[in-house]
Amino acid sequence: MSKSNFSRRGVLKTGMVASAGLALPQYLRAQESGFTNAPGASEVTLGFCVPLSGPYADEGADELRALELAVEHLNGGGDGGMLNTFSSKALDGTGILGREVKFVTGDDQTKSDVARATAQSMIQKDGAIMITGGSSSGTAVAVQALCQEVGIIFMAGLTHANDTTGKDKRANGFRHFFNSYMSGAALAPILAAQYGTDRKAYHLTADYNWGYTTEEAIRSSTEAMGWETVNTVLTPLTQTDFSSYIAPVLTSGADILVLNHYGGNMVNSLTNAVQFGLRQAQANGKNFEIVVPLYSELMARGAGDNIGGIIGSQNWDWKLENQLGARYAGTNAFVQSFGQKYGFPPSQAAHTCYVQAILYADAVTRAGSFNPCAVDEALSGFEFDGLGNGPTLYRADDHQCFKDVVVVRGKENPENEFDLVEIIEVTPVDQVTYPPDHPQFAGGALGTCNPGA
């Protein structure tokens, strides 16, 4: 086998079969084992499907770093990270149920069809028993549907659209990351306090499911406090220059621009907005403001000085435990492990993927089985702590995690390139919790787990 068939660190690339006599038959033996890709006695394979190209590539690269770290800790390497702070004590550094954890990786290119094909190859050719990763809700929904069809657990990575645990929820899928509704519920009171209730908003929205649900959530929460929405415009996910979309904002009568963009899209649209002078403009007798509902430290680094003063929300921040204390235990342990390995703090994308890998391994261990239905039972309704977000619930109704939401603002004068945002508030979980039948999550049904047999 040529060197080109291997990814970095010697991990077999998706599409290549480690042993022609093992991987494919293993997938076909579901009827014998009772579930798809039952592992052998010594090893178990996980599939990491992340964007390593496309507009969300920075998040994908950080996810992969964290997932490699999680595997190291599960196999007893390093300092153990959050295994030492996790409220569940089932994991002991001997792999998962005594099997050494292996993994395969693939680039989903931030494209739903590519993500599905990549995950399918991992399952069929490499024998992956769980798939995780991804930084787009479009890819998450596609891979989650595939995993439901074939009988594999999907531990969603960075996916924020309501749809993932709303109309497109599946029994074989689980989301640790927060969602659009939660961002709206956390941000609205702070936006009202900062900018007032008499505001006119103009939305630029990424043209896919995450953009739609984020716009809906922010519109609903801000209109309820008195804001008026003057226009909403969809922008292609492939767009790199947003100048033609920014220009009309200046004559729209709006005094707030909401950028429902993520990753490279947000960096580019925010940069264009600043270049057009929106940060210095006035409208309706008020200073013009820009809001980015969801952003990360990685995006802040890409945006540079333009991020100063911009309010948004995050799933987690690497400074949480230092600034807000023991409620967010696990944060420092993860930051230390990640920093020692890679030389810089982890992003929220890295954190959520690391946690998902640990939660999957823990659920298998507590259940005593890799069967997806056993994992479903172990995770549904599971309450845990010590993984950096404070007390957290994996709700059984929709497989959505409920926890505190972090509201941040870009620092005007950052001390270094890794400390670009400040935590301005942490919204308690009770304020972002909603009933399973909330209108923003209407349609679809969780269904029942599929073991694939």
Side-chain angles (χ1 to χ4, degrees):
M1 187 177 291
S2 70
K3 186 176 180 181
S4 63
N5 288 332
F6 288 85
S7 65
R8 63 189 177 86
R9 295 167 58 86
V11 178
L12 195 63
K13 278 187 177 177
T14 296
M16 302 305 300
V17 181
S19 170
L22 174 63
L24 191 57
Q26 181 182 0
Y27 173 71
L28 296 175
R29 283 205 307 268
Q31 293 293 346
E32 273 181 40
S33 64
F35 60 96
T36 301
N37 285 347
S42 61
E43 297 179 356
V44 61
T45 301
L46 309 182
F48 301 154
C49 185
V50 299
L52 298 175
S53 57
Y56 297 171
D58 287 347
E59 275 71 25
D62 224 32
E63 287 180 346
L64 189 53
R65 294 181 190 107
L67 288 166
E68 290 182 359
L69 182 63
V71 169
E72 182 178 314
H73 290 166
L74 289 171
N75 287 331
D79 61 9
M82 285 198 280
L83 266 63
N84 300 315
T85 59
F86 187 17
S87 56
S88 172
K89 302 304 178 187
L91 297 171
D92 60 4
T94 58
I96 306 176
L97 290 184
R99 279 85 164 174
E100 182 182 5
V101 182
K102 300 290 187 178
F103 65 92
V104 290
T105 68
D107 179 9
D108 72 19
Q109 300 176 31
T110 321
K111 297 176 181 177
S112 298
D113 57 342
V114 174
R116 182 180 170 103
T118 300
Q120 188 165 36
S121 181
M122 290 176 171
I123 295 165
Q124 292 184 337
K125 295 182 179 180
D126 301 315
I129 196 168
M130 181 272 275
I131 302 292
T132 188
S135 295
S136 157
S137 292
T139 62
V141 166
V143 175
Q144 181 167 261
L146 168 70
C147 289
Q148 182 69 39
E149 292 165 17
V150 301
I152 292 292
I153 289 291
F154 176 58
M155 301 295 287
L158 196 161
T159 167
H160 186 247
N162 291 341
D163 294 352
T164 308
T165 47
K167 71 179 184 64
D168 295 307
K169 59 184 173 286
R170 297 289 186 272
N172 282 43
F174 293 83
R175 170 163 60 180
H176 172 263
F177 207 71
F178 70 143
N179 57 45
S180 300
Y181 173 90
M182 294 172 174
S183 285
L187 284 171
I190 293 169
L191 294 176
Q194 293 286 326
Y195 304 138
T197 55
D198 180 21
R199 283 287 188 165
K200 299 182 185 301
Y202 192 113
H203 288 252
L204 292 182
T205 300
D207 189 8
Y208 76 109
N209 60 350
W210 171 74
Y212 311 148
T213 67
T214 300
E215 179 191 298
E216 179 186 23
I218 301 301
R219 281 185 63 179
S220 266
S221 60
T222 55
E223 287 173 2
M225 68 186 189
W227 286 21
E228 176 187 346
T229 303
V230 300
N231 202 5
T232 62
V233 177
L234 295 176
T235 62
L237 188 58
T238 54
Q239 194 75 20
T240 55
D241 184 348
F242 292 85
S243 300
S244 61
Y245 293 95
I246 300 294
V249 178
L250 293 166
T251 56
S252 67
D255 47 49
I256 294 270
L257 173 61
V258 181
L259 294 174
N260 300 304
H261 291 157
Y262 197 76
N265 287 162
M266 172 271 188
V267 171
N268 292 330
S269 62
L270 178 59
T271 299
N272 289 154
V274 172
Q275 289 170 343
F276 270 77
L278 290 187
R279 297 297 299 276
Q280 288 76 44
Q282 285 209 330
N284 306 320
K286 305 176 179 69
N287 291 334
F288 202 101
E289 303 291 351
I290 302 173
V291 175
V292 179
L294 174 70
Y295 73 88
S296 67
E297 294 265 8
L298 290 173
M299 290 157 61
R301 196 179 312 165
D305 292 343
N306 297 329
I307 201 67
I310 300 293
I311 291 176
S313 64
Q314 291 186 173
N315 187 66
W316 173 86
D317 187 274
W318 66 270
K319 302 178 292 295
L320 267 173
E321 189 173 357
N322 282 343
Q323 293 187 11
L324 296 172
R327 178 175 176 84
Y328 303 104
T331 291
N332 286 351
F334 178 55
V335 171
Q336 178 176 322
S337 291
F338 191 97
Q340 285 179 345
K341 190 173 183 69
Y342 300 113
F344 49 86
S347 66
Q348 63 176 352
H351 172 259
T352 205
C353 281
Y354 177 94
V355 169
Q356 285 285 71
I358 298 303
L359 285 169
Y360 171 78
D362 175 75
V364 170
T365 305
R366 288 186 292 108
S369 173
F370 288 95
N371 189 310
C373 293
V375 176
D376 182 343
E377 186 174 348
L379 272 179
S380 296
F382 181 49
E383 296 181 65
F384 60 92
D385 202 351
L387 294 183
N389 290 112
T392 303
L393 166 69
Y394 240 132
R395 188 162 70 179
D397 303 85
D398 47 16
H399 295 180
Q400 171 66 56
C401 269
F402 286 84
K403 54 194 181 300
D404 300 347
V405 171
V406 184
V407 179
V408 298
R409 178 169 49 212
K411 285 191 172 181
E412 299 283 4
N413 298 295
E415 295 179 7
N416 59 68
E417 63 177 314
F418 304 117
D419 187 17
L420 303 178
V421 305
E422 58 184 341
I423 299 169
I424 57 175
E425 186 169 307
V426 177
T427 304
V429 61
D430 290 348
Q431 289 180 223
V432 299
T433 298
Y434 53 87
D437 60 352
H438 188 281
Q440 289 187 33
F441 297 82
L446 190 67
T448 57
C449 75
N450 175 23

